[in-house]
Amino acid sequence: MAQLVTQPLILAGEGWADYGLVDSGHGRKLERYGDYRFVRPEPQAMWTPRSEHWDAHGEFVPGSDEDGGGRWQFDKAVPRDGWPLAWNEVSFTAQCTPFRHLGFFPDMAPVWDWMREMLAGRTDASTMNLFGYTGVGTLALSAHGPVTHVDASKKSVAQARENAALAGLQDRPVRWMIDDAAKFAAREVRRGKRYDGIILDPPKFGRGPTGETWRLEEHLPGLLADCRKLLDADSRFLFLTVYAVRMSSLALAGLMEELFAGLPGKIEHGDLSVREDEEGRLLPTAIFARWSNPE
C-alpha cells in the first residue's frame, strides 16, 4: 500500500544558463530568459525586492480581473516570433505569449530532473504527459523511451513538434495527440494500456478541442482515478502539479492516497519553488503531489 508522507516538501528549482529568477517582491518577479529580462506578476512575492530598479526588456501588465487578461509592454526590442533557449539537451523556443507565460514553465525543471532519476537506466519506459503544452517535459522524458504527449491546443502541440525539431529530437518516439486529456485517459483505460510514468499539469479551467469544459475541483478526481488504472506495481511515478488555486497540496495527496491504495511506493506533496540567482530566496509557484515507486 502506498504510504502517505504527511510532512510537506519544498522542491526548489535552480537557475541555469538560459533561465534564472533575478529578483522578486511587491507582487512581481524579474526573470532572465537567455539574453532577455522580463517582469511578470507574482502575487506570492509579498516581500521587498532586493533592488529598487529593475532593468527589463518588457513587463506583463495584468488585467483588472483575477482570472487573467493583460498585455505586454516593451521597453526594448524583443523578437516577437521567439528566440531559442535550452535545458540540458532539450532546445525550445521562448516567446512572450498573451497568457503572461513565455512558452514553458521553468519551475518544472526539478520535476524533469526527478522523473529522469526515476527512470535512470531505462530506454524502454512508456510515459505520458497530459496537458503537455509545448513539450519540454515530453522531450526530457523521451530519452528514456516512448512518450504520449496530450494537449487540447493545436497551437501548443504544433509548437511542441517545432521544439522537437529545434532540439534535433524529432526522431524520438513521441506520439503527439491533440485531444481532451480526461477523455484520452479514459480511452486508454478502456484499451487496457499501461504506463511506467505519468505527468499531468491540469489548469484551473479549460476547454477541450471540441468545446469540452474542464474545472479542476470537479474533474480532477475522475482523471486521477483513470491515471491510477494506467499504472501498476511495476510503474515508477505519477507527478501532479496545480497552479493558481486555493487548495492545499495535502488535499491532492489525500486524494492520491485513496486512489493509489493498491500500489506500493510512497506519496509526497508540497510546494514547487524557484530560487533567486544571488540571494537564494525561494519563490513558491505551485503545489504538487507525487507517487513514486523506486526500483
Side-chain angles (χ1 to χ4, degrees):
M1 177 177 178
Q3 298 297 311
L4 172 62
V5 180
T6 56
Q7 184 69 28
L9 302 175
I10 296 177
L11 197 55
E14 310 286 345
W16 69 90
D18 276 351
Y19 172 79
L21 176 62
V22 180
D23 198 0
S24 62
H26 292 168
R28 300 154 74 225
K29 58 186 175 184
L30 173 65
E31 300 163 291
R32 55 178 177 82
Y33 290 81
D35 294 331
Y36 303 96
R37 292 189 174 201
F38 300 97
V39 177
R40 296 193 292 156
E42 183 47 75
Q44 298 199 86
M46 296 183 286
W47 43 77
T48 301
R50 289 183 292 102
S51 175
E52 293 183 4
H53 174 69
W54 288 350
D55 183 19
H57 290 77
E59 177 171 2
F60 188 89
V61 180
S64 57
D65 63 280
E66 182 182 347
D67 292 326
R71 60 190 177 88
W72 286 96
Q73 292 182 344
F74 297 101
D75 295 323
K76 302 177 185 179
V78 174
R80 299 305 168 91
D81 293 330
W83 60 98
L85 298 181
W87 176 83
N88 291 343
E89 83 281 13
V90 180
S91 298
F92 53 93
T93 297
Q95 185 178 22
C96 297
T97 74
F99 311 105
R100 83 179 62 187
H101 308 303
L102 282 95
F104 75 110
F105 296 102
D107 56 331
M108 291 294 291
V111 180
W112 305 331
D113 282 327
W114 180 82
M115 293 189 301
R116 284 183 154 187
E117 290 173 8
M118 296 300 299
L119 299 173
R122 295 282 301 275
T123 58
D124 61 346
S126 177
T127 57
M128 180 163 62
N129 187 0
L130 294 173
F131 309 96
Y133 197 37
T134 57
V136 181
T138 294
L139 296 174
L141 283 170
S142 69
H144 297 280
V147 188
T148 300
H149 173 105
V150 184
D151 198 285
S153 168
K154 184 180 297 185
K155 184 176 181 180
S156 291
V157 174
Q159 184 61 60
R161 285 177 171 273
E162 290 179 15
N163 285 338
L166 180 65
L169 305 177
Q170 65 271 23
D171 293 331
R172 283 192 174 175
V174 178
R175 216 176 20 146
W176 304 104
M177 307 300 298
I178 302 170
D179 208 337
D180 176 82
K183 287 188 173 181
F184 182 84
R187 287 199 301 273
E188 291 289 87
V189 171
R190 292 194 294 271
R191 293 168 183 146
K193 299 288 188 178
R194 73 164 295 277
Y195 289 92
D196 292 294
I198 298 175
I199 177 174
L200 61 161
D201 180 22
K204 180 168 61 174
F205 177 84
R207 293 193 183 278
T210 57
E212 302 92 338
T213 300
W214 166 270
R215 292 183 175 85
L216 184 79
E217 292 85 351
E218 181 180 350
H219 296 117
L220 179 61
L223 173 58
L224 200 58
D226 281 337
C227 288
R228 159 61 185 90
K229 295 171 186 174
L230 296 171
L231 302 168
D232 59 27
D234 294 321
S235 300
R236 292 288 165 256
F237 70 84
L238 179 140
F239 203 105
L240 165 67
T241 53
V242 173
Y243 291 80
V245 295
R246 296 179 177 90
M247 185 184 296
S248 165
S249 65
L250 186 58
L252 300 179
L255 173 62
M256 197 174 289
E257 180 187 28
E258 176 182 272
L259 296 173
F260 284 55
L263 290 179
K266 64 180 178 180
I267 295 164
E268 300 167 297
H269 67 99
D271 283 354
L272 280 185
S273 64
V274 179
R275 192 183 306 276
E276 288 183 0
D277 281 344
E278 294 185 11
E279 295 297 322
R281 181 166 52 188
L282 289 175
L283 175 65
T285 59
I287 59 175
F288 75 89
R290 68 188 185 189
W291 167 75
S292 60
N293 183 32
E295 195 167 9

PDB file of all heavy atoms in Angstrom, residues 160-193:
ATOM      1  N   ALA A 160       5.217  22.242 -29.805  1.00  0.00           N
ATOM      2  CA  ALA A 160       5.975  21.127 -29.239  1.00  0.00           C
ATOM      3  C   ALA A 160       6.731  20.373 -30.335  1.00  0.00           C
ATOM      4  O   ALA A 160       7.899  19.997 -30.159  1.00  0.00           O
ATOM      5  CB  ALA A 160       5.037  20.188 -28.487  1.00  0.00           C
ATOM      6  N   ARG A 161       6.068  20.156 -31.456  1.00  0.00           N
ATOM      7  CA  ARG A 161       6.735  19.497 -32.578  1.00  0.00           C
ATOM      8  C   ARG A 161       7.901  20.334 -33.094  1.00  0.00           C
ATOM      9  O   ARG A 161       8.976  19.805 -33.418  1.00  0.00           O
ATOM     10  CB  ARG A 161       5.737  19.246 -33.714  1.00  0.00           C
ATOM     11  CG  ARG A 161       4.757  18.101 -33.461  1.00  0.00           C
ATOM     12  CD  ARG A 161       3.777  18.008 -34.617  1.00  0.00           C
ATOM     13  NE  ARG A 161       2.939  16.825 -34.584  1.00  0.00           N
ATOM     14  CZ  ARG A 161       3.252  15.650 -35.103  1.00  0.00           C
ATOM     15  NH1 ARG A 161       4.415  15.501 -35.733  1.00  0.00           N
ATOM     16  NH2 ARG A 161       2.427  14.620 -35.030  1.00  0.00           N
ATOM     17  N   GLU A 162       7.693  21.653 -33.172  1.00  0.00           N
ATOM     18  CA  GLU A 162       8.772  22.540 -33.617  1.00  0.00           C
ATOM     19  C   GLU A 162       9.932  22.518 -32.628  1.00  0.00           C
ATOM     20  O   GLU A 162      11.103  22.554 -33.025  1.00  0.00           O
ATOM     21  CB  GLU A 162       8.232  23.964 -33.775  1.00  0.00           C
ATOM     22  CG  GLU A 162       7.284  24.139 -34.943  1.00  0.00           C
ATOM     23  CD  GLU A 162       6.753  25.564 -35.052  1.00  0.00           C
ATOM     24  OE1 GLU A 162       7.329  26.462 -34.399  1.00  0.00           O
ATOM     25  OE2 GLU A 162       5.763  25.766 -35.772  1.00  0.00           O
ATOM     26  N   ASN A 163       9.612  22.446 -31.336  1.00  0.00           N
ATOM     27  CA  ASN A 163      10.689  22.358 -30.342  1.00  0.00           C
ATOM     28  C   ASN A 163      11.486  21.069 -30.503  1.00  0.00           C
ATOM     29  O   ASN A 163      12.709  21.066 -30.348  1.00  0.00           O
ATOM     30  CB  ASN A 163      10.098  22.447 -28.930  1.00  0.00           C
ATOM     31  CG  ASN A 163       9.663  23.851 -28.554  1.00  0.00           C
ATOM     32  OD1 ASN A 163      10.132  24.837 -29.129  1.00  0.00           O
ATOM     33  ND2 ASN A 163       8.759  23.958 -27.596  1.00  0.00           N
ATOM     34  N   ALA A 164      10.787  19.972 -30.802  1.00  0.00           N
ATOM     35  CA  ALA A 164      11.484  18.706 -31.025  1.00  0.00           C
ATOM     36  C   ALA A 164      12.454  18.819 -32.199  1.00  0.00           C
ATOM     37  O   ALA A 164      13.600  18.340 -32.146  1.00  0.00           O
ATOM     38  CB  ALA A 164      10.481  17.584 -31.267  1.00  0.00           C
ATOM     39  N   ALA A 165      12.008  19.479 -33.263  1.00  0.00           N
ATOM     40  CA  ALA A 165      12.872  19.659 -34.432  1.00  0.00           C
ATOM     41  C   ALA A 165      14.044  20.582 -34.099  1.00  0.00           C
ATOM     42  O   ALA A 165      15.184  20.325 -34.509  1.00  0.00           O
ATOM     43  CB  ALA A 165      12.051  20.226 -35.593  1.00  0.00           C
ATOM     44  N   LEU A 166      13.768  21.645 -33.348  1.00  0.00           N
ATOM     45  CA  LEU A 166      14.826  22.585 -32.965  1.00  0.00           C
ATOM     46  C   LEU A 166      15.909  21.884 -32.151  1.00  0.00           C
ATOM     47  O   LEU A 166      17.105  22.159 -32.305  1.00  0.00           O
ATOM     48  CB  LEU A 166      14.230  23.739 -32.162  1.00  0.00           C
ATOM     49  CG  LEU A 166      15.203  24.820 -31.669  1.00  0.00           C
ATOM     50  CD1 LEU A 166      15.819  25.573 -32.848  1.00  0.00           C
ATOM     51  CD2 LEU A 166      14.480  25.805 -30.741  1.00  0.00           C
ATOM     52  N   ALA A 167      15.491  20.953 -31.300  1.00  0.00           N
ATOM     53  CA  ALA A 167      16.434  20.218 -30.449  1.00  0.00           C
ATOM     54  C   ALA A 167      17.097  19.054 -31.179  1.00  0.00           C
ATOM     55  O   ALA A 167      17.974  18.396 -30.616  1.00  0.00           O
ATOM     56  CB  ALA A 167      15.708  19.698 -29.208  1.00  0.00           C
ATOM     57  N   GLY A 168      16.682  18.793 -32.424  1.00  0.00           N
ATOM     58  CA  GLY A 168      17.203  17.639 -33.149  1.00  0.00           C
ATOM     59  C   GLY A 168      16.681  16.327 -32.598  1.00  0.00           C
ATOM     60  O   GLY A 168      17.306  15.275 -32.768  1.00  0.00           O
ATOM     61  N   LEU A 169      15.507  16.369 -31.948  1.00  0.00           N
ATOM     62  CA  LEU A 169      14.939  15.180 -31.305  1.00  0.00           C
ATOM     63  C   LEU A 169      13.652  14.721 -31.994  1.00  0.00           C
ATOM     64  O   LEU A 169      12.861  13.980 -31.414  1.00  0.00           O
ATOM     65  CB  LEU A 169      14.651  15.482 -29.828  1.00  0.00           C
ATOM     66  CG  LEU A 169      15.834  15.994 -28.992  1.00  0.00           C
ATOM     67  CD1 LEU A 169      15.384  16.309 -27.576  1.00  0.00           C
ATOM     68  CD2 LEU A 169      16.969  14.975 -28.978  1.00  0.00           C
ATOM     69  N   GLN A 170      13.442  15.157 -33.235  1.00  0.00           N
ATOM     70  CA  GLN A 170      12.197  14.848 -33.926  1.00  0.00           C
ATOM     71  C   GLN A 170      12.026  13.365 -34.214  1.00  0.00           C
ATOM     72  O   GLN A 170      10.906  12.898 -34.475  1.00  0.00           O
ATOM     73  CB  GLN A 170      12.082  15.652 -35.233  1.00  0.00           C
ATOM     74  CG  GLN A 170      13.123  15.307 -36.278  1.00  0.00           C
ATOM     75  CD  GLN A 170      14.383  16.142 -36.148  1.00  0.00           C
ATOM     76  OE1 GLN A 170      14.688  16.676 -35.090  1.00  0.00           O
ATOM     77  NE2 GLN A 170      15.122  16.270 -37.256  1.00  0.00           N
ATOM     78  N   ASP A 171      13.109  12.594 -34.142  1.00  0.00           N
ATOM     79  CA  ASP A 171      13.013  11.155 -34.409  1.00  0.00           C
ATOM     80  C   ASP A 171      12.790  10.339 -33.138  1.00  0.00           C
ATOM     81  O   ASP A 171      12.688   9.109 -33.207  1.00  0.00           O
ATOM     82  CB  ASP A 171      14.276  10.661 -35.121  1.00  0.00           C
ATOM     83  CG  ASP A 171      14.409  11.230 -36.523  1.00  0.00           C
ATOM     84  OD1 ASP A 171      13.364  11.509 -37.140  1.00  0.00           O
ATOM     85  OD2 ASP A 171      15.543  11.418 -36.986  1.00  0.00           O
ATOM     86  N   ARG A 172      12.717  10.984 -32.004  1.00  0.00           N
ATOM     87  CA  ARG A 172      12.437  10.234 -30.783  1.00  0.00           C
ATOM     88  C   ARG A 172      10.982   9.747 -30.794  1.00  0.00           C
ATOM     89  O   ARG A 172      10.116  10.359 -31.424  1.00  0.00           O
ATOM     90  CB  ARG A 172      12.715  11.098 -29.552  1.00  0.00           C
ATOM     91  CG  ARG A 172      14.206  11.216 -29.252  1.00  0.00           C
ATOM     92  CD  ARG A 172      14.474  11.814 -27.898  1.00  0.00           C
ATOM     93  NE  ARG A 172      15.889  11.802 -27.574  1.00  0.00           N
ATOM     94  CZ  ARG A 172      16.408  12.360 -26.480  1.00  0.00           C
ATOM     95  NH1 ARG A 172      15.610  12.976 -25.613  1.00  0.00           N
ATOM     96  NH2 ARG A 172      17.702  12.296 -26.253  1.00  0.00           N
ATOM     97  N   PRO A 173      10.685   8.663 -30.082  1.00  0.00           N
ATOM     98  CA  PRO A 173       9.360   8.035 -30.171  1.00  0.00           C
ATOM     99  C   PRO A 173       8.298   8.772 -29.365  1.00  0.00           C
ATOM    100  O   PRO A 173       7.944   8.374 -28.253  1.00  0.00           O
ATOM    101  CB  PRO A 173       9.613   6.622 -29.604  1.00  0.00           C
ATOM    102  CG  PRO A 173      10.747   6.817 -28.641  1.00  0.00           C
ATOM    103  CD  PRO A 173      11.613   7.886 -29.239  1.00  0.00           C
ATOM    104  N   VAL A 174       7.769   9.851 -29.929  1.00  0.00           N
ATOM    105  CA  VAL A 174       6.741  10.647 -29.269  1.00  0.00           C
ATOM    106  C   VAL A 174       5.457  10.569 -30.083  1.00  0.00           C
ATOM    107  O   VAL A 174       5.467  10.766 -31.303  1.00  0.00           O
ATOM    108  CB  VAL A 174       7.167  12.119 -29.108  1.00  0.00           C
ATOM    109  CG1 VAL A 174       6.035  12.926 -28.463  1.00  0.00           C
ATOM    110  CG2 VAL A 174       8.440  12.226 -28.277  1.00  0.00           C
ATOM    111  N   ARG A 175       4.354  10.293 -29.399  1.00  0.00           N
ATOM    112  CA  ARG A 175       3.029  10.324 -30.014  1.00  0.00           C
ATOM    113  C   ARG A 175       2.410  11.674 -29.666  1.00  0.00           C
ATOM    114  O   ARG A 175       2.114  11.958 -28.513  1.00  0.00           O
ATOM    115  CB  ARG A 175       2.186   9.185 -29.413  1.00  0.00           C
ATOM    116  CG  ARG A 175       1.274   8.545 -30.397  1.00  0.00           C
ATOM    117  CD  ARG A 175       0.485   7.346 -29.908  1.00  0.00           C
ATOM    118  NE  ARG A 175       0.302   7.140 -28.500  1.00  0.00           N
ATOM    119  CZ  ARG A 175      -0.803   6.606 -27.978  1.00  0.00           C
ATOM    120  NH1 ARG A 175      -1.814   6.280 -28.752  1.00  0.00           N
ATOM    121  NH2 ARG A 175      -0.899   6.393 -26.693  1.00  0.00           N
ATOM    122  N   TRP A 176       2.196  12.533 -30.664  1.00  0.00           N
ATOM    123  CA  TRP A 176       1.661  13.873 -30.425  1.00  0.00           C
ATOM    124  C   TRP A 176       0.144  13.839 -30.610  1.00  0.00           C
ATOM    125  O   TRP A 176      -0.345  13.629 -31.716  1.00  0.00           O
ATOM    126  CB  TRP A 176       2.280  14.874 -31.399  1.00  0.00           C
ATOM    127  CG  TRP A 176       3.783  14.922 -31.376  1.00  0.00           C
ATOM    128  CD1 TRP A 176       4.634  14.384 -32.292  1.00  0.00           C
ATOM    129  CD2 TRP A 176       4.604  15.554 -30.399  1.00  0.00           C
ATOM    130  NE1 TRP A 176       5.935  14.632 -31.954  1.00  0.00           N
ATOM    131  CE2 TRP A 176       5.950  15.346 -30.789  1.00  0.00           C
ATOM    132  CE3 TRP A 176       4.339  16.272 -29.227  1.00  0.00           C
ATOM    133  CZ2 TRP A 176       7.020  15.844 -30.047  1.00  0.00           C
ATOM    134  CZ3 TRP A 176       5.406  16.755 -28.492  1.00  0.00           C
ATOM    135  CH2 TRP A 176       6.722  16.548 -28.891  1.00  0.00           C
ATOM    136  N   MET A 177      -0.605  14.061 -29.528  1.00  0.00           N
ATOM    137  CA  MET A 177      -2.056  13.929 -29.563  1.00  0.00           C
ATOM    138  C   MET A 177      -2.729  15.265 -29.254  1.00  0.00           C
ATOM    139  O   MET A 177      -2.485  15.861 -28.186  1.00  0.00           O
ATOM    140  CB  MET A 177      -2.520  12.892 -28.540  1.00  0.00           C
ATOM    141  CG  MET A 177      -1.845  11.527 -28.649  1.00  0.00           C
ATOM    142  SD  MET A 177      -2.104  10.726 -30.249  1.00  0.00           S
ATOM    143  CE  MET A 177      -3.886  10.544 -30.216  1.00  0.00           C
ATOM    144  N   ILE A 178      -3.577  15.737 -30.166  1.00  0.00           N
ATOM    145  CA  ILE A 178      -4.434  16.899 -29.909  1.00  0.00           C
ATOM    146  C   ILE A 178      -5.756  16.348 -29.417  1.00  0.00           C
ATOM    147  O   ILE A 178      -6.574  15.847 -30.195  1.00  0.00           O
ATOM    148  CB  ILE A 178      -4.619  17.746 -31.180  1.00  0.00           C
ATOM    149  CG1 ILE A 178      -3.269  18.212 -31.728  1.00  0.00           C
ATOM    150  CG2 ILE A 178      -5.531  18.954 -30.884  1.00  0.00           C
ATOM    151  CD1 ILE A 178      -3.356  18.842 -33.108  1.00  0.00           C
ATOM    152  N   ASP A 179      -5.974  16.409 -28.107  1.00  0.00           N
ATOM    153  CA  ASP A 179      -7.135  15.728 -27.542  1.00  0.00           C
ATOM    154  C   ASP A 179      -7.431  16.295 -26.153  1.00  0.00           C
ATOM    155  O   ASP A 179      -6.574  16.903 -25.506  1.00  0.00           O
ATOM    156  CB  ASP A 179      -6.871  14.226 -27.448  1.00  0.00           C
ATOM    157  CG  ASP A 179      -8.146  13.392 -27.529  1.00  0.00           C
ATOM    158  OD1 ASP A 179      -9.226  13.939 -27.223  1.00  0.00           O
ATOM    159  OD2 ASP A 179      -8.055  12.207 -27.884  1.00  0.00           O
ATOM    160  N   ASP A 180      -8.633  16.057 -25.704  1.00  0.00           N
ATOM    161  CA  ASP A 180      -9.018  16.363 -24.332  1.00  0.00           C
ATOM    162  C   ASP A 180      -8.338  15.351 -23.413  1.00  0.00           C
ATOM    163  O   ASP A 180      -8.489  14.133 -23.599  1.00  0.00           O
ATOM    164  CB  ASP A 180     -10.540  16.280 -24.201  1.00  0.00           C
ATOM    165  CG  ASP A 180     -11.011  16.498 -22.787  1.00  0.00           C
ATOM    166  OD1 ASP A 180     -11.122  17.658 -22.368  1.00  0.00           O
ATOM    167  OD2 ASP A 180     -11.248  15.487 -22.093  1.00  0.00           O
ATOM    168  N   ALA A 181      -7.587  15.828 -22.423  1.00  0.00           N
ATOM    169  CA  ALA A 181      -6.772  14.941 -21.596  1.00  0.00           C
ATOM    170  C   ALA A 181      -7.614  13.917 -20.851  1.00  0.00           C
ATOM    171  O   ALA A 181      -7.256  12.730 -20.786  1.00  0.00           O
ATOM    172  CB  ALA A 181      -5.938  15.767 -20.611  1.00  0.00           C
ATOM    173  N   ALA A 182      -8.732  14.352 -20.266  1.00  0.00           N
ATOM    174  CA  ALA A 182      -9.571  13.431 -19.489  1.00  0.00           C
ATOM    175  C   ALA A 182     -10.174  12.361 -20.387  1.00  0.00           C
ATOM    176  O   ALA A 182     -10.206  11.172 -20.029  1.00  0.00           O
ATOM    177  CB  ALA A 182     -10.655  14.211 -18.757  1.00  0.00           C
ATOM    178  N   LYS A 183     -10.676  12.750 -21.550  1.00  0.00           N
ATOM    179  CA  LYS A 183     -11.264  11.772 -22.464  1.00  0.00           C
ATOM    180  C   LYS A 183     -10.215  10.810 -23.001  1.00  0.00           C
ATOM    181  O   LYS A 183     -10.467   9.610 -23.145  1.00  0.00           O
ATOM    182  CB  LYS A 183     -11.966  12.487 -23.617  1.00  0.00           C
ATOM    183  CG  LYS A 183     -13.274  13.157 -23.224  1.00  0.00           C
ATOM    184  CD  LYS A 183     -14.004  13.686 -24.440  1.00  0.00           C
ATOM    185  CE  LYS A 183     -15.390  14.216 -24.070  1.00  0.00           C
ATOM    186  NZ  LYS A 183     -16.129  14.705 -25.246  1.00  0.00           N
ATOM    187  N   PHE A 184      -9.019  11.333 -23.266  1.00  0.00           N
ATOM    188  CA  PHE A 184      -7.963  10.476 -23.782  1.00  0.00           C
ATOM    189  C   PHE A 184      -7.560   9.435 -22.734  1.00  0.00           C
ATOM    190  O   PHE A 184      -7.406   8.246 -23.046  1.00  0.00           O
ATOM    191  CB  PHE A 184      -6.743  11.303 -24.189  1.00  0.00           C
ATOM    192  CG  PHE A 184      -5.635  10.480 -24.777  1.00  0.00           C
ATOM    193  CD1 PHE A 184      -5.640  10.134 -26.114  1.00  0.00           C
ATOM    194  CD2 PHE A 184      -4.585  10.033 -23.975  1.00  0.00           C
ATOM    195  CE1 PHE A 184      -4.625   9.355 -26.654  1.00  0.00           C
ATOM    196  CE2 PHE A 184      -3.570   9.248 -24.504  1.00  0.00           C
ATOM    197  CZ  PHE A 184      -3.592   8.910 -25.847  1.00  0.00           C
ATOM    198  N   ALA A 185      -7.389   9.886 -21.479  1.00  0.00           N
ATOM    199  CA  ALA A 185      -7.015   8.949 -20.418  1.00  0.00           C
ATOM    200  C   ALA A 185      -8.078   7.863 -20.247  1.00  0.00           C
ATOM    201  O   ALA A 185      -7.757   6.679 -20.061  1.00  0.00           O
ATOM    202  CB  ALA A 185      -6.793   9.700 -19.108  1.00  0.00           C
ATOM    203  N   ALA A 186      -9.350   8.254 -20.318  1.00  0.00           N
ATOM    204  CA  ALA A 186     -10.430   7.268 -20.181  1.00  0.00           C
ATOM    205  C   ALA A 186     -10.383   6.246 -21.312  1.00  0.00           C
ATOM    206  O   ALA A 186     -10.611   5.043 -21.089  1.00  0.00           O
ATOM    207  CB  ALA A 186     -11.779   7.981 -20.154  1.00  0.00           C
ATOM    208  N   ARG A 187     -10.084   6.696 -22.518  1.00  0.00           N
ATOM    209  CA  ARG A 187      -9.980   5.766 -23.647  1.00  0.00           C
ATOM    210  C   ARG A 187      -8.793   4.827 -23.473  1.00  0.00           C
ATOM    211  O   ARG A 187      -8.865   3.637 -23.805  1.00  0.00           O
ATOM    212  CB  ARG A 187      -9.860   6.529 -24.974  1.00  0.00           C
ATOM    213  CG  ARG A 187     -11.153   7.183 -25.424  1.00  0.00           C
ATOM    214  CD  ARG A 187     -11.122   7.520 -26.907  1.00  0.00           C
ATOM    215  NE  ARG A 187     -10.024   8.416 -27.234  1.00  0.00           N
ATOM    216  CZ  ARG A 187     -10.099   9.750 -27.167  1.00  0.00           C
ATOM    217  NH1 ARG A 187     -11.232  10.335 -26.775  1.00  0.00           N
ATOM    218  NH2 ARG A 187      -9.079  10.499 -27.486  1.00  0.00           N
ATOM    219  N   GLU A 188      -7.687   5.337 -22.945  1.00  0.00           N
ATOM    220  CA  GLU A 188      -6.522   4.484 -22.696  1.00  0.00           C
ATOM    221  C   GLU A 188      -6.851   3.391 -21.688  1.00  0.00           C
ATOM    222  O   GLU A 188      -6.391   2.254 -21.808  1.00  0.00           O
ATOM    223  CB  GLU A 188      -5.346   5.331 -22.205  1.00  0.00           C
ATOM    224  CG  GLU A 188      -4.752   6.264 -23.246  1.00  0.00           C
ATOM    225  CD  GLU A 188      -3.987   5.514 -24.332  1.00  0.00           C
ATOM    226  OE1 GLU A 188      -4.645   5.100 -25.316  1.00  0.00           O
ATOM    227  OE2 GLU A 188      -2.770   5.336 -24.212  1.00  0.00           O
ATOM    228  N   VAL A 189      -7.660   3.728 -20.689  1.00  0.00           N
ATOM    229  CA  VAL A 189      -8.092   2.715 -19.718  1.00  0.00           C
ATOM    230  C   VAL A 189      -8.902   1.630 -20.419  1.00  0.00           C
ATOM    231  O   VAL A 189      -8.682   0.424 -20.210  1.00  0.00           O
ATOM    232  CB  VAL A 189      -8.911   3.364 -18.579  1.00  0.00           C
ATOM    233  CG1 VAL A 189      -9.551   2.289 -17.700  1.00  0.00           C
ATOM    234  CG2 VAL A 189      -8.035   4.289 -17.738  1.00  0.00           C
ATOM    235  N   ARG A 190      -9.832   2.032 -21.273  1.00  0.00           N
ATOM    236  CA  ARG A 190     -10.661   1.055 -21.981  1.00  0.00           C
ATOM    237  C   ARG A 190      -9.828   0.179 -22.918  1.00  0.00           C
ATOM    238  O   ARG A 190     -10.167  -0.978 -23.163  1.00  0.00           O
ATOM    239  CB  ARG A 190     -11.772   1.770 -22.766  1.00  0.00           C
ATOM    240  CG  ARG A 190     -12.814   2.442 -21.874  1.00  0.00           C
ATOM    241  CD  ARG A 190     -14.045   2.828 -22.660  1.00  0.00           C
ATOM    242  NE  ARG A 190     -13.791   3.849 -23.654  1.00  0.00           N
ATOM    243  CZ  ARG A 190     -13.870   5.161 -23.432  1.00  0.00           C
ATOM    244  NH1 ARG A 190     -14.182   5.609 -22.212  1.00  0.00           N
ATOM    245  NH2 ARG A 190     -13.643   6.028 -24.400  1.00  0.00           N
ATOM    246  N   ARG A 191      -8.734   0.733 -23.432  1.00  0.00           N
ATOM    247  CA  ARG A 191      -7.859  -0.035 -24.326  1.00  0.00           C
ATOM    248  C   ARG A 191      -6.928  -0.966 -23.553  1.00  0.00           C
ATOM    249  O   ARG A 191      -6.190  -1.756 -24.162  1.00  0.00           O
ATOM    250  CB  ARG A 191      -6.995   0.927 -25.160  1.00  0.00           C
ATOM    251  CG  ARG A 191      -7.786   1.766 -26.161  1.00  0.00           C
ATOM    252  CD  ARG A 191      -6.900   2.873 -26.704  1.00  0.00           C
ATOM    253  NE  ARG A 191      -7.612   3.750 -27.617  1.00  0.00           N
ATOM    254  CZ  ARG A 191      -7.389   5.062 -27.742  1.00  0.00           C
ATOM    255  NH1 ARG A 191      -6.450   5.642 -26.994  1.00  0.00           N
ATOM    256  NH2 ARG A 191      -8.068   5.779 -28.595  1.00  0.00           N
ATOM    257  N   GLY A 192      -6.920  -0.869 -22.234  1.00  0.00           N
ATOM    258  CA  GLY A 192      -6.051  -1.715 -21.432  1.00  0.00           C
ATOM    259  C   GLY A 192      -4.595  -1.295 -21.448  1.00  0.00           C
ATOM    260  O   GLY A 192      -3.700  -2.115 -21.202  1.00  0.00           O
ATOM    261  N   LYS A 193      -4.317  -0.020 -21.693  1.00  0.00           N
ATOM    262  CA  LYS A 193      -2.941   0.481 -21.745  1.00  0.00           C
ATOM    263  C   LYS A 193      -2.338   0.587 -20.343  1.00  0.00           C
ATOM    264  O   LYS A 193      -3.056   0.655 -19.338  1.00  0.00           O
ATOM    265  CB  LYS A 193      -2.911   1.855 -22.410  1.00  0.00           C
ATOM    266  CG  LYS A 193      -3.421   1.881 -23.835  1.00  0.00           C
ATOM    267  CD  LYS A 193      -2.438   1.227 -24.792  1.00  0.00           C
ATOM    268  CE  LYS A 193      -2.864   1.430 -26.245  1.00  0.00           C
ATOM    269  NZ  LYS A 193      -1.903   0.833 -27.187  1.00  0.00           N
TER     270      LYS A 193
END
